């Protein structure tokens, strides 16, 4: 594809940026002088990037690779977070992809090496970096192993985000199934750098990852607006000894919730239990993924509703809690008529089930309560094993 896009092609992308790509493909004959299939792919990729990379999606000077590369790229929020973790003079991004992480690392590290084995993608990234005015990134068309073996340099940081799709285009997440295999490469990685930052799927079990990697210094579970996006592991030469875990939730308003724990503190934490009090607390997903099932309660001196519910309660409001906070209006039995008495004629509420036999869909089918409204229902189990529904308002 020609870089930069000719004026007519740029105009086509700009005019159809919000249109349905499938419909655009069907209308290709109307534009015989334009490479419409490629331009439709550009539009489709920009549409995928609009939420995670809004500034890039709105930049008419950039070229976008196939949508899959955009889908696998970091968002601007998570890339900014990762860039804040690194320092030093020299960093190598060994799994460069669309170049998002490399471009953000470049704002913190004077010398960044972008490494990607797909030469077409390297050409796109090299062009885009120039359009963005980023001059301290050197691009290499090579795989991680070849680059490390050919380089005489040592690096302050190595960054890897191994590919998590199989040859059959299925999502995978186990370390040994990803490319490159970080566990196998570990001796070479540690020879080249004392600090390695590894990004993995949130589906990967953290305890298993610590066991297999053996060199985890600390880790971050990163969520964006309470949706778990990635887990980051800092690796170093020394063997792992109960690494610190940081549960981070990046909020839409720019704020950041953070809770720190490790396995020893979690094991020592003793949960206390009680019936629902005035306030209800639901930890964000990063805390639950990091394994903070008891220590979050003891840190805030909360009482837990039941061992497996991971919902907490108190009579004293803690507005600094890293999660959602609710005022409990009533505690009801699992009965549609009793619950609808709190909802008015529209019978709408937001429903969460925790340690409960029915799914949200089954709950709605049984009670006739639809989605929406200002009321929140938490369907869970009390200390005696009985089903209950907490009627709440969000604070």
């Amino acid at each position: 594809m020609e870089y930069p896009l000719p004026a007519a092609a740029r105009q086509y992308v700009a005019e159809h940026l919000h249109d349905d790509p499938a419909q655009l493909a069907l209308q290709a004959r109307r534009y015989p002088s334009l490479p419409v299939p490629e331009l439709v792919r550009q539009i489709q990729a920009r549409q995928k990037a609009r939420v995670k990379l809004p500034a890039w999606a709105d930049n008419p000077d950039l070229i976008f690779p196939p949508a899959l590369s955009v889908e696998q790229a970091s968002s601007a929020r998570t890339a900014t977070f990762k860039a804040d973790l690194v320092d030093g003079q020299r960093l190598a991004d060994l799994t460069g992809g669309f170049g998002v992480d490399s471009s953000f690392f470049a704002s913190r590290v004077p010398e960044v090496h972008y490494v990607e084995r797909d030469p077409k993608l390297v050409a796109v990234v090299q062009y885009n970096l120039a359009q963005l005015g980023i001059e301290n990134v050197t691009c290499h068309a090579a795989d991680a192993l070849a680059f490390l073996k050919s380089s005489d340099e040592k690096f302050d940081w190595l960054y890897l985000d191994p590919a998590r799709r199989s040859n059959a285009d299925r999502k995978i997440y186990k370390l040994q199934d990803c490319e490159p295999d970080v566990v196998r490469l570990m001796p070479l990685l540690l020879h080249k750098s004392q600090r390695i930052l590894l990004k993995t799927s949130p589906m990967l079990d953290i305890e298993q990852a610590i066991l297999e990697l053996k060199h985890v210094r600390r880790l971050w579970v990163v969520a964006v607006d309470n949706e778990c996006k990635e887990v980051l592991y800092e690796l170093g030469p020394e063997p792992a000894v109960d690494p610190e875990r940081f549960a981070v939730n990046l909020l839409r308003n720019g704020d950041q919730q953070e809770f720190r724990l490790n396995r020893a503190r979690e094991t020592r934490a003793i949960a206390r239990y009680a019936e629902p009090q005035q306030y209800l607390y639901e930890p964000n997903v990063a805390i639950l993924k990091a394994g903070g099932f008891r220590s979050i309660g003891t840190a805030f001196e909360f009482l837990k509703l039941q061992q497996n519910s991971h919902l907490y309660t108190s009579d004293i409001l803690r507005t600094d809690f890293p999660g959602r906070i609710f005022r409990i209006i009533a505690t009801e039995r699992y009965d549609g008529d009793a619950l609808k008495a709190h909802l008015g004629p529209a019978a709408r509420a937001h429903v969460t089930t925790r340690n409960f036999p029915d799914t949200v869909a089954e709950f709605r089918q049984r009670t006739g309560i639809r989605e929406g409204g200002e009321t929140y229902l938490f369907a869970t189990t009390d200390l005696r094993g009985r089903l209950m529904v907490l009627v709440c308002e969000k604070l």
Side-chain angles (χ1 to χ4, degrees):
M1 185 174 177
E2 183 181 352
Y3 307 154
L5 290 178
R10 288 163 64 99
Q11 182 178 351
Y12 178 91
V13 171
E15 289 178 352
H16 298 282
L17 195 53
H18 303 288
D19 294 342
D20 180 3
Q23 290 298 316
L24 294 175
L26 293 175
Q27 299 167 7
R29 291 181 181 177
R30 295 169 55 184
Y31 306 91
S33 63
L34 293 177
V36 171
E38 177 55 40
L39 297 180
V40 169
R41 284 193 288 272
Q42 288 290 309
I43 291 169
Q44 188 176 29
R46 286 177 180 271
Q47 290 176 350
K48 282 187 174 291
R50 181 154 301 281
V51 173
K52 60 164 47 177
L53 293 164
W56 288 32
D58 290 337
N59 188 331
D61 296 326
L62 301 186
I63 297 295
F64 280 71
L68 178 59
S69 294
V70 178
E71 179 185 320
Q72 294 175 335
S74 296
S75 68
R77 294 290 304 281
T78 58
T80 300
F81 180 82
K82 284 193 284 285
D84 287 340
L85 299 179
V86 302
D87 54 12
Q89 295 298 308
R90 185 180 294 112
L91 176 148
D93 178 354
L94 298 176
T95 49
F98 187 27
V100 175
D101 287 316
S102 286
S103 71
F104 280 80
F105 286 138
S107 67
R108 299 300 301 270
V109 180
E111 182 182 331
V112 174
H113 293 265
Y114 160 94
V115 182
E116 168 58 48
R117 60 185 178 181
D118 181 350
K120 292 182 179 179
L121 194 51
V122 174
V124 169
V125 170
Q126 200 160 20
Y127 173 82
N128 284 344
L129 291 172
Q131 307 314 303
L132 294 168
I134 298 173
E135 300 178 346
N136 59 322
V137 177
T138 302
C139 295
H140 305 267
D143 65 24
L145 180 60
F147 172 79
L148 291 175
K149 284 186 173 181
S150 65
S151 175
D152 295 328
E153 303 284 356
K154 293 289 182 76
F155 298 88
D156 295 296
W157 283 91
L158 296 176
Y159 172 69
L160 297 98
D161 177 11
R164 294 186 289 276
R165 283 187 182 269
S166 68
N167 292 333
D169 203 32
R170 292 191 308 241
K171 289 185 178 181
I172 55 180
Y173 52 88
K174 293 182 179 179
L175 290 172
Q176 65 269 29
D177 295 336
C178 296
E179 177 61 35
D181 183 342
V182 176
V183 176
R184 184 175 60 84
L185 280 183
M186 191 66 67
L188 179 58
L189 295 172
L190 291 173
H191 175 68
K192 290 293 186 178
S193 178
Q194 299 288 295
R195 292 181 292 184
I196 300 161
L197 188 61
L198 170 67
K199 171 184 169 181
T200 73
S201 164
M203 296 295 294
L204 179 64
D205 180 76
I206 287 176
E207 307 300 337
Q208 185 65 27
I210 292 173
L211 186 65
E212 292 182 11
L213 292 167
K214 296 185 174 63
H215 294 272
V216 179
R217 285 173 167 166
R218 51 183 176 164
L219 65 92
W220 297 262
V221 180
V222 182
V224 177
D225 293 323
N226 209 34
E227 182 180 350
C228 201
K229 293 295 187 180
E230 57 193 51
V231 182
L232 304 169
Y233 298 83
E234 181 187 337
L235 312 174
E238 65 278 0
V241 181
D242 194 12
E244 285 291 299
R245 309 176 187 198
F246 299 85
V248 179
N249 186 27
L250 307 173
L251 301 177
R252 187 178 292 108
N253 63 7
D255 291 343
Q256 177 175 312
Q257 297 175 339
E258 184 171 308
F259 182 69
R260 181 174 179 174
L261 68 147
N262 62 21
R263 189 165 52 189
R265 290 198 295 277
E266 178 67 20
T267 301
R268 289 196 304 267
I270 299 175
R272 296 184 298 138
Y273 299 91
E275 298 295 332
Q277 299 188 350
Q278 188 173 355
Y279 299 103
L280 180 72
Y281 302 87
E282 180 190 33
N284 66 51
V285 295
I287 293 171
L288 299 180
K289 174 62 183 178
F293 303 116
R294 293 198 298 260
S295 54
I296 185 66
T298 57
F300 286 85
E301 299 182 339
F302 289 160
L303 302 169
K304 202 170 185 181
L305 293 185
Q306 209 267 358
Q307 180 177 355
N308 298 315
S309 69
H310 310 314
L311 295 171
Y312 302 84
T313 189
S314 75
D315 275 329
I316 300 174
L317 178 62
R318 289 290 302 269
T319 57
D320 57 339
F321 176 74
R324 296 199 299 174
I325 308 171
F326 303 85
R327 178 180 286 108
I328 299 175
I329 300 170
T331 302
E332 288 289 355
R333 63 189 185 279
Y334 186 19
D335 178 81
D337 291 337
L339 293 170
K340 286 178 180 177
H342 297 277
L343 304 179
R348 293 181 179 273
H350 306 280
V351 177
T352 298
T353 59
R354 284 284 185 84
N355 190 27
F356 197 76
D358 289 352
T359 65
V360 171
E362 291 167 339
F363 180 100
R364 293 193 184 283
Q365 185 175 17
R366 176 170 169 174
T367 62
I369 295 172
R370 295 177 294 169
E371 172 65 24
E374 301 296 326
T375 304
Y376 291 76
L377 303 179
F378 281 82
T380 187
T381 304
D382 69 11
L383 287 170
R384 300 177 185 177
R386 299 173 302 189
L387 302 184
M388 65 176 176
V389 181
L390 304 178
V391 183
C392 306
E393 61 178 359
K394 189 177 181 182
L395 299 181

